[in-house]
Amino acid sequence: MPCPYRYAMTYDPEEHHRRSIRLKGYDYSQPGAYFVTVCTNKWKCLFGEIVGGTMVLNQLGQIVSGCWNEIPEHFPNVELDEFVTMPNHLHGIVVTANKNQLSACRGTACRAPTVESFGKPVAGSLSTIMRSFKSAVTKEINKMRGTPNLPIWQRNYYEHVLRNEDKLNRTREYVLNNPLQWQFDRENPRRIQDEAYDNQWGHFEGIIYGKA
């Protein structure tokens, strides 16, 4: 299903003056590998359900996954790694690079400079990619449901820079196992506290969500 990606980014004073959760000192317009998490507005479970440890997408979830898979068609500097659409969030690994660098980035984390300048969205940057993805999903879902201007996502997103191969592989494992661990997932409104899960993934999730 084609997604209506938005290329012309307008400057929204409220959007660009709220507190940033991006990593200070990091240039998100430069080559790098990132783990991103996008959550639904008020953590509503909109995209399907977990059945027997497998995510079963409904129509809305299919729109989300379809738009995610189409990101490289609209942003040639992007290559996607593992991702999963969950009932109320999406986890995905995004690699940004120029065309010549993408082949070198396959299967490994790309390093990036640690200098960032804040301001208006930069073409091809992670923030522009994510903002466009979220906008496309929102537009398509609201068009299908006849609910114009209804928010689908939380206003921001979480990201974590994958600086080496070990962190990349551990993140892949986390993404692939997410449906199996849904009952313990911190994004699950009915989460079951589990010591073994917290011991294995608690610190990892804390890093992702800025709690560690």
Side-chain angles (χ1 to χ4, degrees), residues 47-132:
F47 304 142
E49 60 181 340
I50 304 295
V51 179
T54 300
M55 179 62 191
V56 179
L57 298 174
N58 57 22
Q59 283 186 295
L60 305 189
Q62 290 172 11
I63 289 174
V64 173
S65 293
C67 287
W68 184 264
N69 279 318
E70 289 184 14
I71 288 176
E73 297 179 22
H74 304 277
F75 295 92
N77 66 311
V78 170
E79 185 170 276
L80 302 177
D81 202 284
E82 299 291 351
F83 86 97
V84 62
T85 301
M86 296 291 287
N88 62 359
H89 64 280
L90 177 142
H91 289 310
I93 299 172
V94 177
V95 177
T96 63
N98 62 42
K99 292 182 179 179
N100 294 328
Q101 291 170 315
L102 281 178
S103 60
C105 290
R106 289 190 177 96
T108 186
C110 300
R111 295 183 179 274
T114 56
V115 178
E116 180 182 27
S117 59
F118 292 94
K120 296 182 179 180
V122 178
S125 68
L126 183 65
S127 61
T128 298
I129 293 163
M130 296 308 301
R131 192 175 291 111
S132 297

Side-chain angles (χ1 to χ4, degrees), residues 63 133-143 147 149-153:
I63 289 174
F133 162 73
K134 291 169 66 179
S135 176
V137 170
T138 298
K139 182 175 181 179
E140 195 67 23
I141 287 178
N142 282 335
K143 178 181 176 181
T147 54
N149 301 319
L150 189 70
I152 302 299
W153 303 107

Side-chain angles (χ1 to χ4, degrees), residues 7-24:
Y7 291 99
M9 307 305 299
T10 57
Y11 184 75
D12 181 344
E14 182 179 0
E15 173 79 12
H16 294 95
H17 282 93
R18 69 179 185 274
R19 188 178 66 86
S20 174
I21 60 172
R22 308 279 73 80
L23 179 66
K24 291 183 178 180

Side-chain angles (χ1 to χ4, degrees), residues 161-201:
V161 182
L162 304 177
R163 297 182 183 276
N164 55 58
E165 190 82 16
D166 180 69
K167 186 165 289 186
L168 174 63
N169 288 330
R170 184 163 171 79
T171 303
R172 285 170 171 159
E173 181 184 0
Y174 177 81
V175 171
L176 291 172
N177 286 332
N178 213 228
L180 289 171
Q181 307 291 344
W182 171 240
Q183 60 182 326
F184 311 122
D185 195 303
R186 63 177 292 150
E187 300 299 342
N188 186 344
R190 301 180 178 178
R191 178 179 188 264
I192 299 173
Q193 194 78 23
D194 183 84
E195 185 176 354
Y197 179 87
D198 290 341
N199 287 339
Q200 182 177 7
W201 296 114

